[in-house]
Amino acid sequence: MKNIVFDMGGVLIDFNPQRMLNDNFPPQYHDIINKNVFQSVHWKNMDRGTESVDEAIENMLPSIPPEARNKMRELILDREGQMPPLTEMTPIIKSLKEDGYRLFVLSNCAKWFHEFKYTIPAIELFDGFLISADYELLKPEREIFELFLNKFNLSAEDCLFIDDSPANIEAAKSLGFKTFCFDTRDFDGLKAYIGRLKEE
């Protein structure tokens, strides 16, 4: 293992739609907003780069109750406030870098990533980033993983891929990546798994 590849939302930053809903809307709004915003084709298109952030917002909001639209727009645009860094990851990143590993980000994210990537913990220690919207691809599509490996001249067998999506994990595993599913934010489990890989 030579390279550690991180997803961003749910791994390096706290992208948590349910928290955003709980903190800002009464329960009767949750399902309709989740379906028509976070689970919508427009959100996916934003991450794929085929709709701009502004276009996606304008396409999503008419499907939710009028009284929730302004607040939802504010939440989507408040990237730093709504998606703070997961600071527990900072010592893990620093330790990996000190041990000589190369560090990368492979994330489904809109092009606004380039405006707020500084919120990633210890961003100065990363060696490269591949963001879906820049290439009109999305995880778990095989092509985005192949593009990532080619872009940075890496072998999947030399990489550990950390993501909170089981579907993304399975896609990476099928290509030969070592993987860790971070869906429960188990920082201690991640550290223990990396420790075992170091001993192999």
Side-chain angles (χ1 to χ4, degrees):
M1 185 177 68
K2 302 176 183 177
N3 314 291
I4 315 295
V5 186
F6 294 84
D7 176 37
M8 187 168 60
V11 177
L12 297 174
I13 64 173
D14 185 20
F15 174 62
N16 187 331
Q18 192 58 54
R19 171 181 52 75
M20 294 168 67
L21 294 172
N22 291 343
D23 289 350
N24 294 281
F25 300 99
Q28 63 265 29
Y29 289 96
H30 291 187
D31 287 346
I32 191 169
I33 293 176
N34 191 50
K35 176 183 177 181
N36 290 290
V37 177
F38 299 113
Q39 300 299 322
S40 73
V41 65
H42 303 294
W43 193 279
K44 291 180 180 178
N45 288 345
M46 184 170 63
D47 281 351
R48 190 182 288 277
T50 54
E51 289 184 32
S52 70
V53 174
D54 289 339
E55 288 170 338
I57 290 173
E58 294 309 311
N59 289 328
M60 291 186 289
L61 294 190
S63 299
I64 69 174
E67 61 272 22
R69 292 173 189 170
N70 286 340
K71 184 63 174 180
M72 194 67 245
R73 183 193 304 273
E74 292 174 8
L75 294 177
I76 294 171
L77 294 175
D78 180 21
R79 298 181 289 273
E80 291 84 352
Q82 297 302 320
M83 293 179 274
L86 291 175
T87 55
E88 298 94 331
M89 196 62 81
T90 301
I92 298 174
I93 293 169
K94 289 182 177 179
S95 176
L96 289 168
K97 195 64 177 180
E98 289 170 358
D99 288 342
Y101 294 102
R102 298 180 73 199
L103 308 178
F104 298 91
V105 169
L106 172 57
S107 179
N108 286 351
C109 188
K111 291 185 178 180
W112 63 14
F113 166 82
H114 301 290
E115 302 171 19
F116 80 106
K117 64 183 180 181
Y118 60 84
T119 61
I120 293 175
I123 186 174
E124 70 279 2
L125 301 182
F126 281 82
D127 296 279
F129 304 86
L130 194 150
I131 302 305
S132 60
D134 291 338
Y135 300 93
E136 296 190 3
L137 295 169
L138 285 176
K139 295 178 297 181
E141 294 164 1
R142 183 183 184 93
E143 291 82 0
I144 194 169
F145 291 97
E146 293 174 337
L147 174 65
F148 170 79
L149 294 172
N150 290 332
K151 178 179 175 65
F152 297 109
N153 194 28
L154 305 176
S155 170
E157 291 75 16
D158 293 334
C159 298
L160 168 63
F161 176 65
I162 304 164
D163 199 296
D164 63 332
S165 163
N168 295 344
I169 289 293
E170 288 306 312
K173 191 179 296 184
S174 73
L175 285 164
F177 285 81
K178 300 174 181 66
T179 61
F180 185 89
C181 190
F182 198 66
D183 54 349
T184 62
R185 300 194 180 182
D186 183 2
F187 293 95
D188 290 337
L190 174 60
K191 288 186 285 187
Y193 181 66
I194 291 173
R196 291 194 296 272
L197 290 179
K198 288 178 179 179
E199 295 173 358
E200 293 182 357

